Amino acid sequence: MIAELGNVTLVIALVLSILLAIYPLWGAQTNNPTLMSLARPLAIGLFVFTLIAYIALTHSFIVDDFSLSYVAQNSNSKLPIYYKITAVWGGHEGSFLLWVLIFAIWTVAVALFSNGIPEKMLARVLSVLGMVSISFYLFMLITSNPFDSMLPFFPVDGRDLNPLLQDFGMIIHPPMLYMGYVGFSVAFAFAIAALIGGQLDSTWARWSRPWTIAAWAFLTLGLALGSWWAYYELGWGGWWFWDPVENAAFMPWLAGTALMHSLAVTEKRKVFKSWTVLLAIAAFSLSLLGTFLVRSGVLVSVHSFASDPARGLFILGLLVVVIGGSLLLYALRASQLKSVGRYDLFSREMMLMGNNVLLCAATVVVLLGTLFPLVHKEIGLGSISIGAPFFNQMFTLLVVPFVFFLGVGPLTRWKKQKPSALKHQLLLAFFLAFSAGVVVIFSYDEYSQLALLGITMSFWILVATVLEVRQRVASPLKDETTYQTLKKLTPSHWGMVFGHVGFAVCLIGITLVSNYEKEMDVRVKIGQTLQMADYDIKFIGVESIKGPNYTADRGIFDIYKHGILINHLEPEKRFYTVQQMPMTEAGIHTTLTRDLFIAMGEPLKGGDWAIQLYYKPFVVWIWGGAFIMSIGAAFSISDKRYRIKKIAQFTRRTKSKTTSAANLEPSVAKESTL
Amino acid sequence: MNRRRKQRLFAVSAAFVLLAAAIGVMLYSLNDSIDVFYTPSEIHNGKEATGNKPIVGQRLRIGGLVVPGSINRANDSLNVSFDLVDTGPKVKVEYNGILPDLFREGQGIIATGELKTPTLIVAHEVLAKHDEEYMPPELAEQLKGMNQFKPANAKDTKAGQY
């Protein structure tokens, strides 16, 4: 009964999205305010009905309604209740429903928190979002409906959720990732709406900036969570595998980072206009491509969903329509995208252009590395795979000039910079960074050129960022203290500082863990002590335990540093009874400067165990850096420039439309929490 | 040529040189990290289409079913060897380390490593996917019609995912 309700609401949502795609746009083209004003209620309706469908599916999971084939395949009556709720997105169909729900959340957020944007622009943006949602709802109803019933023959119990997904990281990783993935559709919608309206001054860049930054922040967190989850849950001790599906999420991130920076240039300097539009189209297309790769079954990956050619074809078709359609529109309007500003060879514009080119190059590298094996196979040359060395090599080459620009960029002026004025600062930054690199490298017992390079680059960013803040503070009014001038820096400025520092932190983590990690696959006897770095690890024994839906062998290890007991780790080898699937649950001891990681391998003859032991210096810095970057994004979004009031004033000036500022106050508060 | 044109010419040619260099580096580095996939029969007889046989010393990927009873674990170390098979003759794989959770007899696995003799591979990585019904598509194609292989029903197969 509830399931049928879900089905019906999905169909209603489809109808609403069709209306949303047509009427407001029509209204905007024919100057009909009634039609335009339909945009908001339609967006809200879309959200409400999708939410009902989502709740209906969650309900089916909670009450163990195994007559739904999706529930039967992804849940089990013994599954703990919180995993039943998260199992909703444990498979293809349900995770797509979550995807669509998140899309509806972004749509309704745009509808509600954009009071200052002219009615026409908003109507167009929402219409574009409506068009995209039509395809999503159709896709779900035609090829992957989570409410498909197994009646009259349904199983007594479900096949259980994949044990890998029964974990905390799994609860938050997909929603975060989807928020980011789907969020780029908003930037896309703004760009397309601007193209449709022919309103190609830089105002659309200002409107779409906070949305782009928000989407980017979610994607950053989603990727970091995914990497963290893979690290502690897959028991391989790695944090990034260049797995095609990771790549699929990494490409929109790279393009999104480029977009975020290019939007800044377009908004402030009115240049790079066509470039920005293309990047907005690219970021969203890459999100769609990612969806296609993950859900069509063309990829061999840990992540791939059950394959069904119809799904792949549908998304491929959608991809062609989106890319083709938007490029056609772009071609028609490109002549109006004249950039007016002038800038010199050495200017902040050029630095940002360098950064953009390198980010795009990185995107192309990942794209090539991911698609090449597919193409190779499709044209009949046989199966090949492209290993991590390719990506590592290319990224090492790309990151050096990227970091150089990243350090210099914020110090440079817009339009024109005298090189001599920066010479001292840059030399100082390089000297400090290099010394820091040497000091850090000599604190480890082996020398590594790559580590020296990585640490120098990280400190180059850090020092340059400090110098940049100092530059801002250096010329205060006479009676101001440094603290007062610091306080005057805008939140979006702090956003940049945090973003760059976060990247440096991430880079430190990546450098140290890739160059100085230690790994040991060993056979241990009970009572034996192993040595790794400064630590002695004693294998006490193994005990059998029983969990709610699994049994496990739990290894017990004591960890000593210089003879003093500092910790106790209990990695497990679990066996999930319903799916008949073994799982490794690593034991990890984390501190700020290193992780100790123990994973149970397999039992061997005579009570011995094969275990895997890792010493990973500074590995948490990788995720910490990503977290700091997202904090930076939050700062940027909170900047007053983007608040409705300011934009409303702007609109009032241009359109002499009177809006009471008091009315806007509540939504201002709401938006800042986004 | 006036100054502006000169600048533009300079910019365009610089972009071209950079692009060419980038593609060159990319292809060079691709060449080093492509691993061609073989099945055990292809290692013996060469690829069906081209007849290409892998050369000793080459890095490659192999996929096949673990032959029941062939897993041989050393008593005092983590050295292990096992045989892989598809429709034809067997190939031996040696590995030092911990095998993945789902590694077991009759299971389809993929190993990456170096060909030491014409029928022995020393692997540095062994992968078994996270689902016991999972079959690497490359392998499934090769194994059509084989007895040990139960054709996967698309509806029931659930690969690991996020």
Side-chain angles (χ1 to χ4, degrees):
Chain A
M1 179 51 216
I2 297 281
E4 274 80 55
L5 177 74
N7 237 334
V8 171
T9 49
L10 278 184
V11 175
I12 297 176
L14 171 66
V15 173
L16 288 177
S17 67
I18 295 174
L19 297 179
L20 180 63
I22 297 171
Y23 283 116
L25 187 61
W26 191 358
Q29 299 309 93
T30 56
N31 254 329
N32 181 338
T34 329
L35 287 182
M36 279 195 271
S37 67
L38 279 176
R40 245 177 227 153
L42 282 173
I44 294 169
L46 191 66
F47 166 69
V48 170
F49 282 102
T50 316
L51 185 65
I52 296 174
Y54 187 81
I55 291 171
L57 187 61
T58 311
H59 178 264
S60 307
F61 266 92
I62 293 174
V63 300
D64 293 329
D65 181 359
F66 297 123
S67 67
L68 291 186
S69 74
Y70 180 71
V71 179
Q73 275 177 39
N74 289 288
S75 184
N76 182 276
S77 53
K78 286 203 199 79
L79 196 66
I81 178 84
Y82 43 94
Y83 288 137
K84 278 184 185 164
I85 294 170
T86 62
V88 172
W89 58 79
H92 165 72
E93 289 88 350
S95 66
F96 204 77
L97 182 60
L98 177 71
W99 169 285
V100 171
L101 176 70
I102 286 172
F103 193 90
I105 292 174
W106 279 105
T107 310
V108 84
V110 173
L112 293 180
F113 304 127
S114 305
N115 294 3
I117 298 179
E119 200 71 9
K120 252 189 190 177
M121 178 74 181
L122 184 64
R124 289 194 181 110
V125 170
L126 288 175
S127 268
V128 174
L129 288 173
M131 289 178 210
V132 179
S133 22
I134 295 177
S135 52
F136 287 165
Y137 287 101
L138 272 180
F139 176 70
M140 189 154 61
L141 287 169
I142 295 172
T143 70
S144 21
N145 192 339
F147 297 106
D148 274 345
S149 167
M150 289 177 92
L151 289 172
F153 305 110
F154 61 88
V156 191
D157 209 339
R159 283 170 37 108
D160 205 0
L161 179 64
N162 187 331
L164 280 171
L165 309 182
Q166 299 184 22
D167 169 76
F168 172 73
M170 185 51 211
I171 296 177
I172 41 179
H173 161 63
M176 282 291 169
L177 196 70
Y178 289 2
M179 280 301 273
Y181 246 39
V182 179
F184 284 127
S185 61
V186 179
F188 170 78
F190 270 97
I192 295 296
L195 282 177
I196 294 175
Q199 199 188 9
L200 293 161
D201 47 11
S202 57
T203 36
W204 77 268
R206 161 166 299 192
W207 292 324
S208 92
R209 253 184 105 182
W211 298 103
T212 310
I213 296 174
W216 179 87
F218 280 118
L219 190 57
T220 309
L221 281 179
L223 281 171
L225 281 169
S227 149
W228 182 54
W229 170 74
Y231 169 74
Y232 73 74
E233 186 70 12
L234 294 182
W236 306 339
W239 48 272
W240 191 263
F241 303 98
W242 296 108
D243 174 292
V245 175
E246 285 173 336
N247 292 348
F250 191 43
M251 286 186 283
W253 188 85
L254 289 169
T257 312
L259 172 64
M260 200 166 63
H261 288 89
S262 162
L263 272 173
V265 188
T266 305
E267 189 211 338
K268 290 202 168 135
R269 301 284 314 140
K270 304 189 175 24
V271 289
F272 293 9
K273 280 183 191 164
S274 20
W275 180 245
T276 308
V277 171
L278 283 179
L279 276 179
I281 295 173
F284 180 61
S285 306
L286 287 169
S287 295
L288 282 183
L289 179 72
T291 320
F292 166 71
L293 292 177
V294 182
R295 292 171 190 275
S296 64
V298 294
L299 285 180
V300 189
S301 153
V302 216
H303 297 87
S304 48
F305 290 90
S307 59
D308 176 354
R311 290 175 191 157
L313 273 180
F314 192 105
I315 306 177
L316 201 60
L318 175 63
L319 204 59
V320 170
V321 171
V322 166
I323 298 179
S326 30
L327 287 184
L328 182 70
L329 190 62
Y330 170 80
L332 291 174
R333 297 284 187 183
S335 57
Q336 295 178 28
L337 282 167
K338 276 263 165 63
S339 294
V340 281
R342 283 287 182 86
Y343 46 92
D344 264 33
L345 200 60
F346 191 36
S347 61
R348 194 185 282 193
E349 283 93 330
M350 283 306 281
M351 295 295 128
L352 279 160
M353 186 189 277
N355 140 319
N356 258 283
V357 168
L358 289 165
L359 281 168
C360 291
T363 315
V364 171
V365 166
V366 181
L367 189 68
L368 188 95
T370 313
L371 294 187
F372 190 70
L374 289 179
V375 175
H376 201 269
K377 196 178 165 205
E378 286 312 309
I379 59 178
L381 292 174
S383 294
I384 53 163
S385 69
I386 290 180
F390 167 71
F391 295 104
N392 290 339
Q393 209 171 348
M394 296 308 292
F395 269 75
T396 314
L397 286 175
L398 286 170
V399 79
V400 176
F402 179 77
V403 164
F404 174 76
F405 287 131
L406 205 168
V408 181
L411 288 167
T412 358
R413 289 167 189 278
W414 293 107
K415 271 179 108 169
K416 186 174 183 159
Q417 169 73 46
K418 263 201 226 129
S420 55
L422 277 187
K423 210 170 81 187
H424 287 292
Q425 280 179 314
L426 292 183
L427 281 175
L428 175 68
F430 179 74
F431 174 74
L432 287 178
F434 189 71
S435 328
V438 171
V439 170
V440 172
I441 299 319
F442 274 97
S443 66
Y444 285 91
D445 23 333
E446 40 188 315
Y447 168 75
S448 149
Q449 275 171 339
L450 277 179
L452 179 61
L453 178 71
I455 297 295
T456 306
M457 287 196 300
S458 312
F459 276 90
W460 163 261
I461 299 173
L462 291 174
V463 174
T465 307
V466 172
L467 288 176
E468 194 266 344
V469 174
R470 220 190 59 170
Q471 194 183 50
R472 293 295 156 114
V473 181
S475 50
L477 300 169
K478 284 249 165 63
D479 50 347
E480 271 185 331
T481 60
T482 313
Y483 176 70
Q484 277 169 322
T485 36
L486 268 181
K487 259 178 67 179
K488 265 175 39 187
L489 291 182
T490 59
S492 65
H493 193 259
W494 284 116
M496 178 191 80
V497 169
F498 272 85
H500 290 175
V501 168
F503 181 71
V505 168
C506 200
L507 201 56
I508 291 176
I510 293 173
T511 305
L512 292 178
V513 81
S514 338
N515 288 292
Y516 293 113
E517 76 170 351
K518 295 193 169 78
E519 183 193 344
M520 226 155 92
D521 280 10
V522 281
R523 182 183 184 120
V524 283
K525 289 189 196 333
I526 290 173
Q528 192 182 341
T529 301
L530 301 163
Q531 273 167 353
M532 173 159 269
D534 292 341
Y535 302 91
D536 293 320
I537 294 135
K538 188 172 184 193
F539 182 38
I540 305 290
V542 177
E543 61 182 19
S544 295
I545 55 162
K546 204 168 158 27
N549 51 352
Y550 61 85
T551 57
D553 287 324
R554 177 187 280 167
I556 301 166
F557 293 85
D558 279 343
I559 297 174
Y560 296 89
K561 187 177 187 179
H562 307 306
I564 302 156
L565 180 68
I566 56 162
N567 206 273
H568 186 74
L569 284 180
E570 297 184 338
E572 289 173 14
K573 184 66 142 192
R574 290 185 183 167
F575 188 74
Y576 283 80
T577 40
V578 179
Q579 293 217 336
Q580 294 282 303
M581 187 164 149
M583 267 275 309
T584 308
E585 193 79 11
I588 303 174
H589 181 232
T590 302
T591 66
L592 207 53
T593 55
R594 59 110 188 94
D595 270 18
L596 281 177
F597 182 116
I598 304 178
M600 303 295 281
E602 51 197 301
L604 303 169
K605 283 175 207 146
D608 291 2
W609 271 79
I611 64 159
Q612 225 163 359
L613 203 61
Y614 291 98
Y615 166 77
K616 292 189 170 277
F618 290 85
V619 67
V620 282
W621 285 46
I622 298 172
W623 308 300
F627 186 66
I628 297 173
M629 284 193 253
S630 325
I631 293 178
F635 268 114
S636 285
I637 301 166
S638 73
D639 199 308
K640 281 204 202 84
R641 275 182 316 141
Y642 304 125
R643 298 281 186 82
I644 286 86
K645 218 156 96 188
K646 192 76 178 256
I647 301 171
Q649 278 167 4
F650 173 82
T651 330
R652 217 178 306 152
R653 250 183 297 151
T654 49
K655 297 192 107 188
S656 69
K657 182 175 144 202
T658 45
T659 330
S660 138
N663 281 346
L664 294 168
E665 224 41 76
S667 45
V668 170
K670 262 186 237 156
E671 200 212 25
S672 55
T673 59
L674 259 181
Chain B
M1 269 201 285
N2 62 24
R3 198 169 143 261
R4 221 176 130 64
R5 281 219 181 142
K6 238 183 214 166
Q7 254 182 3
R8 209 173 278 175
L9 183 71
F10 174 74
V12 170
S13 33
F16 259 106
V17 172
L18 270 180
L19 195 70
I23 292 176
V25 171
M26 210 134 87
L27 290 179
Y28 175 76
S29 125
L30 253 183
N31 229 4
D32 275 356
S33 34
I34 289 182
D35 297 325
V36 182
F37 178 88
Y38 290 92
T39 61
S41 348
E42 283 172 348
I43 287 190
H44 283 271
N45 308 325
K47 290 255 176 203
E48 215 170 283
T50 55
N52 278 351
K53 270 170 95 166
I55 326 154
V56 171
Q58 184 185 334
R59 258 174 63 112
L60 52 79
R61 263 155 93 86
I62 180 169
L65 301 174
V66 180
V67 177
S70 71
I71 304 176
N72 201 343
R73 184 52 104 181
N75 275 331
D76 52 350
S77 71
L78 289 179
N79 282 327
V80 62
S81 73
F82 52 89
D83 291 346
L84 287 181
V85 70
D86 56 330
T87 46
K90 292 183 273 193
V91 167
K92 198 170 212 47
V93 177
E94 284 180 3
Y95 179 64
N96 179 283
I98 293 167
L99 294 167
D101 287 343
L102 279 172
F103 184 95
R104 59 182 83 151
E105 293 178 348
Q107 173 83 16
I109 65 116
I110 288 187
T112 310
E114 200 180 308
L115 193 67
K116 275 284 175 264
T117 76
T119 60
L120 171 71
I121 286 159
V122 176
H124 57 78
E125 184 183 54
V126 174
L127 299 173
K129 290 292 173 158
H130 291 278
D131 187 299
E132 62 164 17
E133 279 179 50
Y134 179 84
M135 174 74 62
E138 298 143 328
L139 193 58
E141 246 164 61
Q142 301 291 334
L143 294 179
K144 271 174 196 151
M146 226 179 117
N147 288 340
Q148 282 151 284
F149 172 46
K150 182 182 77 185
N153 178 346
K155 268 259 154 160
D156 292 338
T157 312
K158 189 166 63 78
Q161 63 237 324
Y162 273 113

